[in-house]
mmCIF file of all heavy atoms in Angstrom:
data_model
loop_
_atom_site.group_PDB
_atom_site.id
_atom_site.type_symbol
_atom_site.label_atom_id
_atom_site.label_comp_id
_atom_site.label_asym_id
_atom_site.label_seq_id
_atom_site.Cartn_x
_atom_site.Cartn_y
_atom_site.Cartn_z
ATOM 1 N N LYS A 2 27.443 11.341 34.786
ATOM 2 C CA LYS A 2 27.397 9.991 34.228
ATOM 3 C C LYS A 2 25.975 9.439 34.092
ATOM 4 O O LYS A 2 25.612 8.902 33.092
ATOM 5 C CB LYS A 2 28.188 9.064 35.149
ATOM 6 C CG LYS A 2 29.412 8.453 34.468
ATOM 7 C CD LYS A 2 30.123 7.520 35.405
ATOM 8 C CE LYS A 2 31.502 7.275 34.859
ATOM 9 N NZ LYS A 2 32.347 6.611 35.885
ATOM 10 N N ILE A 3 25.217 9.661 35.190
ATOM 11 C CA ILE A 3 23.846 9.143 35.224
ATOM 12 C C ILE A 3 23.009 9.748 34.110
ATOM 13 O O ILE A 3 22.285 9.074 33.421
ATOM 14 C CB ILE A 3 23.204 9.394 36.591
ATOM 15 C CG1 ILE A 3 24.006 8.649 37.675
ATOM 16 C CG2 ILE A 3 21.761 8.944 36.613
ATOM 17 C CD1 ILE A 3 23.774 9.180 39.056
ATOM 18 N N LEU A 8 19.851 9.281 29.162
ATOM 19 C CA LEU A 8 19.635 9.752 27.819
ATOM 20 C C LEU A 8 19.761 8.577 26.802
ATOM 21 O O LEU A 8 18.925 8.412 25.971
ATOM 22 C CB LEU A 8 20.637 10.886 27.438
ATOM 23 C CG LEU A 8 20.258 12.288 27.838
ATOM 24 C CD1 LEU A 8 21.347 13.229 27.456
ATOM 25 C CD2 LEU A 8 18.941 12.658 27.142
ATOM 26 N N ALA A 13 17.302 4.475 23.294
ATOM 27 C CA ALA A 13 17.152 3.089 22.852
ATOM 28 C C ALA A 13 15.717 2.661 22.914
ATOM 29 O O ALA A 13 15.213 2.003 21.961
ATOM 30 C CB ALA A 13 17.954 2.188 23.772
ATOM 31 N N LEU A 34 -3.095 -7.283 3.909
ATOM 32 C CA LEU A 34 -4.213 -6.457 3.394
ATOM 33 C C LEU A 34 -4.238 -6.621 1.889
ATOM 34 O O LEU A 34 -5.275 -6.774 1.307
ATOM 35 C CB LEU A 34 -3.948 -4.976 3.721
ATOM 36 C CG LEU A 34 -4.175 -4.586 5.174
ATOM 37 C CD1 LEU A 34 -3.891 -3.112 5.308
ATOM 38 C CD2 LEU A 34 -5.660 -4.845 5.594
ATOM 39 N N GLY A 44 -3.593 -9.343 -8.499
ATOM 40 C CA GLY A 44 -2.629 -10.418 -8.386
ATOM 41 C C GLY A 44 -1.714 -10.166 -7.282
ATOM 42 O O GLY A 44 -1.431 -9.011 -6.889
ATOM 43 N N ASN A 50 -2.464 -10.162 -13.486
ATOM 44 C CA ASN A 50 -2.643 -11.376 -14.322
ATOM 45 C C ASN A 50 -3.657 -12.341 -13.651
ATOM 46 O O ASN A 50 -3.350 -13.477 -13.286
ATOM 47 C CB ASN A 50 -1.272 -12.039 -14.433
ATOM 48 C CG ASN A 50 -1.210 -12.920 -15.609
ATOM 49 O OD1 ASN A 50 -2.158 -13.059 -16.377
ATOM 50 N ND2 ASN A 50 -0.094 -13.606 -15.827
ATOM 51 N N LEU A 57 -11.051 -6.480 -16.466
ATOM 52 C CA LEU A 57 -11.135 -5.013 -16.145
ATOM 53 C C LEU A 57 -9.904 -4.278 -16.736
ATOM 54 O O LEU A 57 -9.782 -3.105 -16.449
ATOM 55 C CB LEU A 57 -11.147 -4.824 -14.626
ATOM 56 C CG LEU A 57 -12.393 -5.457 -13.896
ATOM 57 C CD1 LEU A 57 -12.237 -5.397 -12.415
ATOM 58 C CD2 LEU A 57 -13.692 -4.765 -14.322
ATOM 59 N N ALA A 65 7.503 -0.110 -14.655
ATOM 60 C CA ALA A 65 8.061 1.175 -14.245
ATOM 61 C C ALA A 65 7.265 2.353 -14.832
ATOM 62 O O ALA A 65 7.152 3.439 -14.199
ATOM 63 C CB ALA A 65 9.507 1.275 -14.689
ATOM 64 N N LYS A 66 6.754 2.193 -16.074
ATOM 65 C CA LYS A 66 6.020 3.272 -16.709
ATOM 66 C C LYS A 66 4.657 3.550 -15.998
ATOM 67 O O LYS A 66 4.252 4.692 -15.852
ATOM 68 C CB LYS A 66 5.723 2.919 -18.158
ATOM 69 C CG LYS A 66 6.910 3.278 -19.100
ATOM 70 C CD LYS A 66 6.542 3.158 -20.542
ATOM 71 C CE LYS A 66 7.301 1.985 -21.129
ATOM 72 N NZ LYS A 66 6.686 0.953 -21.844
ATOM 73 N N VAL A 67 4.042 2.481 -15.632
ATOM 74 C CA VAL A 67 2.770 2.595 -14.861
ATOM 75 C C VAL A 67 3.065 3.274 -13.505
ATOM 76 O O VAL A 67 2.337 4.172 -13.090
ATOM 77 C CB VAL A 67 2.129 1.195 -14.637
ATOM 78 C CG1 VAL A 67 0.924 1.293 -13.688
ATOM 79 C CG2 VAL A 67 1.698 0.585 -15.959
ATOM 80 N N ALA A 70 3.701 6.996 -13.850
ATOM 81 C CA ALA A 70 2.489 7.778 -14.154
ATOM 82 C C ALA A 70 1.532 7.916 -12.986
ATOM 83 O O ALA A 70 0.590 8.682 -12.981
ATOM 84 C CB ALA A 70 1.717 7.138 -15.320
ATOM 85 N N LEU A 71 1.927 7.162 -11.939
ATOM 86 C CA LEU A 71 0.995 7.149 -10.765
ATOM 87 C C LEU A 71 1.620 7.861 -9.586
ATOM 88 O O LEU A 71 2.712 7.563 -9.107
ATOM 89 C CB LEU A 71 0.748 5.688 -10.389
ATOM 90 C CG LEU A 71 -0.206 5.454 -9.190
ATOM 91 C CD1 LEU A 71 -1.615 5.844 -9.469
ATOM 92 C CD2 LEU A 71 -0.128 3.980 -8.804
ATOM 93 N N GLU A 74 -0.438 10.568 -4.324
ATOM 94 C CA GLU A 74 -1.750 11.181 -4.052
ATOM 95 C C GLU A 74 -2.838 10.454 -4.810
ATOM 96 O O GLU A 74 -3.899 10.182 -4.309
ATOM 97 C CB GLU A 74 -1.728 12.657 -4.486
ATOM 98 C CG GLU A 74 -0.878 13.563 -3.600
ATOM 99 C CD GLU A 74 0.617 13.396 -3.772
ATOM 100 O OE1 GLU A 74 1.019 12.956 -4.887
ATOM 101 O OE2 GLU A 74 1.385 13.598 -2.833
ATOM 102 N N ASN A 87 -16.517 4.928 -16.980
ATOM 103 C CA ASN A 87 -17.777 5.246 -17.598
ATOM 104 C C ASN A 87 -18.904 5.217 -16.559
ATOM 105 O O ASN A 87 -19.978 4.695 -16.814
ATOM 106 C CB ASN A 87 -18.098 4.297 -18.763
ATOM 107 C CG ASN A 87 -16.963 4.278 -19.738
ATOM 108 O OD1 ASN A 87 -16.379 5.322 -20.057
ATOM 109 N ND2 ASN A 87 -16.688 3.073 -20.258
ATOM 110 N N LEU A 107 -0.729 0.534 2.133
ATOM 111 C CA LEU A 107 -1.097 -0.055 0.903
ATOM 112 C C LEU A 107 -0.437 0.677 -0.269
ATOM 113 O O LEU A 107 -0.053 0.078 -1.264
ATOM 114 C CB LEU A 107 -2.637 -0.137 0.691
ATOM 115 C CG LEU A 107 -3.261 -1.269 1.474
ATOM 116 C CD1 LEU A 107 -4.772 -1.106 1.581
ATOM 117 C CD2 LEU A 107 -2.936 -2.688 0.830
ATOM 118 N N LYS A 110 2.933 -0.507 -0.398
ATOM 119 C CA LYS A 110 2.928 -1.866 -0.973
ATOM 120 C C LYS A 110 2.807 -1.767 -2.491
ATOM 121 O O LYS A 110 3.542 -2.482 -3.216
ATOM 122 C CB LYS A 110 1.718 -2.593 -0.401
ATOM 123 C CG LYS A 110 1.426 -3.978 -1.041
ATOM 124 C CD LYS A 110 2.522 -4.971 -0.776
ATOM 125 C CE LYS A 110 2.274 -6.264 -1.561
ATOM 126 N NZ LYS A 110 3.418 -7.148 -1.518
ATOM 127 N N VAL A 111 1.940 -0.875 -2.989
ATOM 128 C CA VAL A 111 1.809 -0.692 -4.457
ATOM 129 C C VAL A 111 3.154 -0.271 -5.040
ATOM 130 O O VAL A 111 3.617 -0.808 -6.043
ATOM 131 C CB VAL A 111 0.721 0.362 -4.762
ATOM 132 C CG1 VAL A 111 0.782 0.776 -6.250
ATOM 133 C CG2 VAL A 111 -0.654 -0.209 -4.484
ATOM 134 N N ARG A 112 3.840 0.650 -4.338
ATOM 135 C CA ARG A 112 5.148 1.096 -4.769
ATOM 136 C C ARG A 112 6.167 -0.033 -4.844
ATOM 137 O O ARG A 112 7.031 -0.089 -5.694
ATOM 138 C CB ARG A 112 5.645 2.187 -3.831
ATOM 139 C CG ARG A 112 5.006 3.496 -4.050
ATOM 140 C CD ARG A 112 5.511 4.207 -5.266
ATOM 141 N NE ARG A 112 4.790 5.436 -5.521
ATOM 142 C CZ ARG A 112 4.144 5.721 -6.655
ATOM 143 N NH1 ARG A 112 4.158 4.910 -7.691
ATOM 144 N NH2 ARG A 112 3.554 6.847 -6.802
ATOM 145 N N LEU A 114 5.755 -2.960 -5.552
ATOM 146 C CA LEU A 114 5.556 -4.004 -6.546
ATOM 147 C C LEU A 114 6.390 -3.781 -7.749
ATOM 148 O O LEU A 114 6.631 -4.666 -8.544
ATOM 149 C CB LEU A 114 4.058 -3.912 -6.968
ATOM 150 C CG LEU A 114 2.988 -4.331 -5.851
ATOM 151 C CD1 LEU A 114 1.640 -3.929 -6.313
ATOM 152 C CD2 LEU A 114 3.098 -5.777 -5.579
#
Side-chain angles (χ1 to χ4, degrees):
K2 242 183 198 166
I3 297 161
L8 273 178
L34 288 177
N50 202 1
L57 298 170
K66 276 190 247 128
V67 172
L71 181 68
E74 288 73 27
N87 305 321
L107 281 165
K110 171 68 188 171
V111 166
R112 285 285 176 234
L114 295 167

